[in-house]
Amino acid sequence: MMKINIQKLDHVQICIPFGKEDEARGFYTDLLGFTEIEKPDSLKSSGGLWYTAGDIELHIGTEEMSSYKSKRHPAFRVEDLLEVRRYLEQSGVETYDEKPIPSVLRFTFHDPFGNRIEFLEKISGSL
């Protein structure tokens, strides 16, 4: 059995209803004092906001909040991402490609309970 070497939690994503970014800024920027950071160009059309709070990133996505399939997920930074993906797929776990982000390789999968989980590896250069 392969041991997956988790390096750290990379980010947490929560969601807000479509069009509520200004209200979210009022809470996360004005009230909590989080620092808004720019989203990658490839994700800007999806709406939402990204923040830093200490060494943690908080990603706020937009979605129909009554939707069963949510964008909420933990993202774990791992070593040897392609080997980890091969291992999961060989173990019967279906994996999914995600929209590219510069300098990041990533994929997602669901646990047996339907929770979405992301594994990623930071790389130098761009994709």
Side-chain angles (χ1 to χ4, degrees):
M1 178 178 192
M2 178 183 171
K3 180 180 185 305
I4 298 173
N5 184 7
I6 302 293
Q7 297 173 333
K8 72 173 199 167
L9 182 65
D10 187 78
H11 68 269
V12 174
Q13 177 158 332
I14 61 172
C15 293
I16 60 175
F18 292 109
K20 297 290 187 176
E21 286 88 348
D22 287 340
E23 191 173 328
R25 279 187 184 98
F27 184 79
Y28 290 98
T29 304
D30 301 338
L31 183 64
L32 299 182
F34 289 8
T35 302
E36 186 173 350
I37 57 176
E38 188 169 358
K39 290 177 65 171
D41 288 341
S42 61
L43 301 179
K44 287 181 181 177
S45 66
S46 302
L49 310 161
W50 282 15
Y51 285 96
T52 58
D55 65 353
I56 299 167
E57 283 191 17
L58 174 66
H59 297 182
I60 302 175
T62 58
E63 66 182 10
E64 172 60 68
M65 296 301 289
S66 63
S67 172
Y68 176 75
K69 184 178 176 186
S70 174
K71 294 179 184 179
R72 296 173 186 95
H73 68 279
F76 297 96
R77 190 181 299 181
V78 301
E79 292 179 347
D80 300 317
L81 182 76
L82 297 178
E83 185 178 333
V84 169
R85 187 173 192 171
R86 230 181 341 270
Y87 167 73
L88 291 173
E89 290 174 346
Q90 288 173 349
S91 299
V93 176
E94 189 172 357
T95 65
Y96 307 94
D97 291 323
E98 294 294 333
K99 288 183 182 178
I101 296 176
S103 302
V104 176
L105 296 175
R106 67 192 189 124
F107 68 88
T108 57
F109 58 97
H110 293 90
D111 73 9
F113 312 100
N115 293 299
R116 181 174 170 239
I117 299 171
E118 179 178 343
F119 277 175
L120 63 86
E121 183 172 11
K122 302 279 180 149
I123 58 172
S124 55
S126 59
L127 299 178

